[in-house]
């Protein structure tokens, strides 16, 4: 029978280590990308964004890299903390602000 | 800090009943959205709303769905005749402009029985 729901890729990382979460996007015309964090039972929370005229942007403990040639985004979290445990989604911004979300990566921070 | 608020947090309804999900977007935002997330799946776009009309909608947003901004603060999603497969988390979001960060509410968990 058909399985219901997605089995999310999981990244297990030790507290204090750096995390790298990857995302491939589909539309080469997309010019704005956002990373969201979603904790259990909550709505997506904005982390960081990047426009297509940049290839790197840094925030507090987070860095987003954009490779337009291969349509790839990554989110790097420095010194991962237990509070970073969540599902992380990349999203590409389309017409009228519509967001196309990726499948998500579950980050599990272990002590 | 301004936030998007949604009510109720959980709604249980019988199949075939109408439900209205409510949202108060951030006050100076001009673009409003509804998304849904079936348990364990990714967030899916339903509809965007700007200047008091729908600007874009997905295939999911069929004739059973409608949106309204009845006054200057509320933004509602109505599902006319709910089906079991409408069970999901429904998120409202708003943004200042179409190409700027969207802020999401905490969601309404809709359970259709």
């Amino acid at each position: 029978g058909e399985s219901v729901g997605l089995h999310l890729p999981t990244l297990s990382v030790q507290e204090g280590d750096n995390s790298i979460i990857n995302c491939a996007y589909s539309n080469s015309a997309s010019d704005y990308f956002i990373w969201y964090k979603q904790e259990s039972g909550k709505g997506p929370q904005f982390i960081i964004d990047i426009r297509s005229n940049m290839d790197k942007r840094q925030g507090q403990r987070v860095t987003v890299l954009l490779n337009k040639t291969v349509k790839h985004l990554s989110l790097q979290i420095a010194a991962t903390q237990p509070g970073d445990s969540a599902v992380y989604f990349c999203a590409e911004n389309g017409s009228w602000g519509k967001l196309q979300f990726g499948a998500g990566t579950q980050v599990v921070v272990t002590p | 800090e301004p936030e998007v608020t949604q009510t109720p947090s959980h709604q249980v309804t019988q199949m075939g009943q109408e439900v209205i999900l409510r949202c108060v977007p951030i006050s100076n935002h001009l673009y409003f959205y509804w998304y849904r997330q079936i348990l364990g799946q990714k967030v899916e776009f339903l509809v965007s709303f700007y200047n008091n009309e729908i600007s874009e909608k997905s295939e999911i947003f069929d004739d059973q769905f409608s949106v309204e901004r009845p006054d200057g603060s509320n933004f509602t999603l109505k599902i006319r005749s709910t089906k079991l497969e409408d069970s999901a988390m429904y998120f409202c979001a708003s943004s200042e402009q179409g190409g700027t960060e969207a802020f999401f509410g905490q969601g309404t968990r809709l359970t259709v029985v």
Side-chain angles (χ1 to χ4, degrees), chain A residues 51-69:
Chain A
R51 298 203 177 269
S52 60
N53 60 350
M54 304 172 73
D55 50 25
K56 180 179 179 179
R57 189 157 188 236
Q58 287 185 288
Q60 192 176 20
R61 279 202 308 120
V62 293
T63 301
V64 55
L65 299 177
L66 174 62
N67 185 331
K68 294 181 285 294
T69 305

Side-chain angles (χ1 to χ4, degrees), chain B residues 14-47:
Chain B
Q14 285 202 320
M15 194 168 53
Q17 295 296 303
E18 174 182 289
V19 294
I20 298 176
L21 310 183
R22 301 179 193 280
C23 170
V24 179
I26 294 173
S27 61
N28 64 331
H29 286 186
L30 301 177
Y31 288 74
F32 314 114
Y33 315 90
W34 283 101
Y35 290 81
R36 82 168 185 193
Q37 186 178 33
I38 294 170
L39 185 64
Q41 298 191 20
K42 67 179 181 180
V43 179
E44 300 174 288
F45 170 79
L46 291 178
V47 65

Side-chain angles (χ1 to χ4, degrees), chain A residues 4-8 32 34 36 38 41-44 46 49 51 89 93-104, chain B residues 31 33 35 37 39-45 48 50 55-56 89 91 98-107 109:
Chain A
V4 176
L6 290 174
H7 183 70
L8 286 177
Y32 180 55
I34 309 172
Y36 283 94
Q38 187 179 29
K42 295 187 176 180
F46 173 88
D49 58 2
R51 298 203 177 269
F89 292 97
N93 189 268
S95 54
W96 297 101
K98 163 188 170 181
L99 291 171
Q100 180 91 24
F101 281 81
Chain B
Y31 288 74
Y33 315 90
Y35 290 81
Q37 186 178 33
L39 185 64
Q41 298 191 20
K42 67 179 181 180
V43 179
E44 300 174 288
F45 170 79
S48 59
Y50 170 73
S55 45
E56 189 161 350
M89 282 288 284
F91 293 108
T100 59
E101 61 195 82
F103 292 86
F104 283 75
Q106 294 297 295
R109 178 172 297 284

Side-chain angles (χ1 to χ4, degrees), chain B residues 92-113:
Chain B
C92 174
S94 68
S95 63
E96 263 187 77
Q97 299 293 334
T100 59
E101 61 195 82
F103 292 86
F104 283 75
Q106 294 297 295
T108 293
R109 178 172 297 284
L110 177 65
T111 304
V112 183
V113 296

Side-chain angles (χ1 to χ4, degrees), chain A residues 26-89:
Chain A
S26 54
N27 186 356
S28 55
S30 294
D31 60 1
Y32 180 55
F33 305 88
I34 309 172
W35 279 99
Y36 283 94
K37 171 186 180 183
Q38 187 179 29
E39 296 171 286
S40 182
K42 295 187 176 180
Q45 180 187 355
F46 173 88
I47 303 173
I48 191 167
D49 58 2
I50 189 167
R51 298 203 177 269
S52 60
N53 60 350
M54 304 172 73
D55 50 25
K56 180 179 179 179
R57 189 157 188 236
Q58 287 185 288
Q60 192 176 20
R61 279 202 308 120
V62 293
T63 301
V64 55
L65 299 177
L66 174 62
N67 185 331
K68 294 181 285 294
T69 305
V70 295
K71 294 189 284 187
H72 183 267
L73 271 173
S74 67
L75 177 71
Q76 300 176 4
I77 305 173
T80 313
Q81 301 168 0
D84 295 326
S85 293
V87 177
Y88 290 80
F89 292 97

